[in-house]
Amino acid sequence: MSIAENLQDVYRRIRAAESAAGRQPGSVQLLAVSKTKPAEAVREAWQAGQRAFGENYVQEGVDKVQALADLAIDWHFIGPLQSNKTRIVAEHFHWVHSVDRLKIAQRLSEQRPADLPPLNLCLQINISGEDSKSGISLSELPALAHTVAALPNIQLRGLMCIPAPCTDPAQQRLPFQQLATALSALQHDLPQLDTLSMGMTDDMDAAIAEGATWVRIGTAIFGARNYA
């Protein structure tokens, strides 16, 4: 199937999950994860109507931003971010979903060009407590969120997580429910927070049922990745 056909299938699945959860049509946005895929594949998806794309690797992502500068694309950085790479991300992306410490947020704030709108940030939560995953604990969240929200040149939008893999639909919902509860608690003091970045190809239905506003889908759109 073509990328355009794959996208239509994913859009239909999102709309069905919204309906099953009693949510408004269009309340969930699709972030097409284009890591390891060539710029031509992103262009094909854009021509099929997709506008938001997620990249995990800084230099690969920036190369695509520059190669596709003729297109109106909403670029999201969703991978681990080292402090020595913050400037190039601050200069080229519209969103960063993977902020996991104050130093990264501060550098993004300081390095965001003055002629660009504020950079949208999500704090990454290590919701399953995995040693192999980036992110802060839920106990660390309130203090970090309030500090980051006060920084200039950025806009704290919400939370992101990548739960441990699980095939049971009921169990899949639990970490997403935890993230949604955490966001709701923060909204008492930070009402501008409106984003839950959660759910991928295998668990998007559970994430949507628990309130996801962005789902991050790659393989179902672009096919299997080649890491060779």
Side-chain angles (χ1 to χ4, degrees):
M1 295 221 306
S2 68
I3 287 174
E5 290 170 323
N6 290 341
L7 272 170
Q8 290 306 312
D9 281 347
V10 172
Y11 293 148
R12 282 193 289 269
R13 184 174 164 190
I14 290 172
R15 300 289 93 85
E18 286 173 337
S19 177
R23 298 182 57 183
Q24 288 292 321
S27 58
V28 180
Q29 298 183 78
L30 171 61
L31 183 59
V33 179
S34 45
K35 66 178 181 180
T36 80
K37 296 300 180 179
E40 292 76 17
V42 175
R43 186 178 294 275
E44 187 177 340
W46 189 90
Q47 291 169 340
Q50 179 63 23
R51 293 294 180 264
F53 294 86
E55 290 287 329
N56 287 60
Y57 309 115
V58 174
Q59 193 56 56
E60 178 193 338
V62 170
D63 288 346
K64 287 181 204 168
V65 171
Q66 294 171 339
L68 299 166
D70 58 309
L71 304 181
I73 290 179
D74 194 24
W75 289 105
H76 297 236
F77 188 77
I78 60 176
L81 183 55
Q82 298 172 329
S83 58
N84 65 344
K85 300 288 183 67
T86 52
R87 181 177 298 278
I88 194 169
V89 169
E91 291 173 347
H92 289 88
F93 285 81
H94 303 95
W95 284 74
V96 178
H97 290 233
S98 49
V99 174
D100 62 357
R101 55 195 187 278
L102 179 58
K103 180 181 180 181
I104 296 296
Q106 289 172 327
R107 289 177 66 87
L108 291 169
S109 169
E110 293 163 2
Q111 295 165 347
R112 181 68 168 175
D115 61 328
L116 294 180
L119 182 63
N120 296 294
L121 301 188
C122 292
L123 300 179
Q124 182 172 350
I125 310 301
N126 189 346
I127 201 75
S128 302
E130 296 175 274
D131 292 340
S132 61
K133 295 265 178 73
S134 301
I136 62 169
S137 67
L138 286 173
S139 63
E140 298 172 287
L141 174 59
L144 181 60
H146 284 84
T147 303
V148 170
L151 295 173
N153 307 317
I154 61 97
Q155 178 68 53
L156 182 62
R157 296 292 299 271
L159 308 177
M160 184 269 260
C161 73
I162 307 172
C166 174
T167 57
D168 181 282
Q171 292 297 312
Q172 284 179 345
R173 291 182 62 160
L174 297 179
F176 298 137
Q177 187 180 71
Q178 286 182 286
L179 201 72
T181 299
L183 182 72
S184 180
L186 288 175
Q187 287 170 329
H188 291 295
D189 294 328
L190 302 170
Q192 72 273 22
L193 302 188
D194 60 2
T195 298
L196 285 170
S197 172
M198 59 188 197
M200 296 186 285
T201 298
D202 292 334
D203 57 12
M204 79 160 86
D205 295 70
I208 290 170
E210 295 297 339
T213 57
W214 285 103
V215 291
R216 308 181 305 271
I217 309 298
T219 303
I221 298 169
F222 297 106
R225 296 188 182 95
N226 179 12
Y227 291 98

